[in-house]
Amino acid sequence: MELSNKHIKMQNDSEGEEGSGTAIVTREKSKLKKPSLYRVLLLNDDFTPMHFVIHVLQRFFAMNEEQATRITLHVHNKGIGECGVFTYEVAETKVTKVMNFARDNQHPLQCVMEKK
């Protein structure tokens, strides 16, 4: 976070007197920029079992069985489905964990992220 700039303005009490006066310090408020958000998406494939996708959604995205099943069916029918929206670091971590878990279990499930 960047500190705001300070501006000092000297006002003399009487003309011609150097160094005497009142200092007024103003501080500009810096606006914090909201972080960019990223959608984490699952892509459909013809090989990963639906029960595995449901498990992934429950494990890595804290969904209950009903939510996970609904998104899994959406991925199956539409080819893609959103798992959640996160800051860059969180989205990147979730994508990496899902991809590693899928590979470790020998499934070709694809998980990607895109800027919202």
Side-chain angles (χ1 to χ4, degrees), residues 52 97-107:
F52 182 79
K97 286 183 177 184
V98 169
M99 293 296 291
N100 289 340
F101 186 68
R103 297 300 155 264
D104 290 347
N105 288 278
Q106 299 176 346
H107 294 296

Side-chain angles (χ1 to χ4, degrees), residues 2-99:
E2 188 176 311
L3 293 179
S4 60
N5 297 330
K6 290 184 180 179
H7 300 286
I8 299 177
K9 179 181 176 185
M10 295 297 290
Q11 295 177 341
N12 290 331
D13 289 335
S14 61
E15 290 184 31
E17 291 183 25
E18 222 171 289
S20 65
T22 306
I24 299 173
V25 178
T26 59
R27 185 177 284 196
E28 294 178 14
K29 291 193 176 202
S30 56
K31 293 182 181 177
L32 295 178
K33 183 180 174 186
K34 288 186 180 181
S36 297
L37 296 177
Y38 292 79
R39 298 171 66 206
V40 175
L41 307 167
L42 287 180
L43 307 178
N44 189 40
D45 65 73
D46 293 331
F47 304 101
T48 304
M50 289 178 69
H51 67 86
F52 182 79
V53 178
I54 291 169
H55 178 70
V56 164
L57 291 167
Q58 290 176 312
R59 180 173 178 171
F60 297 104
F61 298 95
M63 293 185 188
N64 62 37
E65 189 171 357
E66 182 182 330
Q67 293 169 314
T69 301
R70 184 174 37 82
I71 291 175
T72 299
L73 290 172
H74 183 83
V75 171
H76 179 73
N77 293 322
K78 303 290 183 181
I80 192 167
E82 183 178 281
C83 306
V85 178
F86 309 95
T87 59
Y88 180 83
E89 292 81 9
V90 173
E92 184 179 45
T93 300
K94 288 190 179 286
V95 168
T96 300
K97 286 183 177 184
V98 169
M99 293 296 291

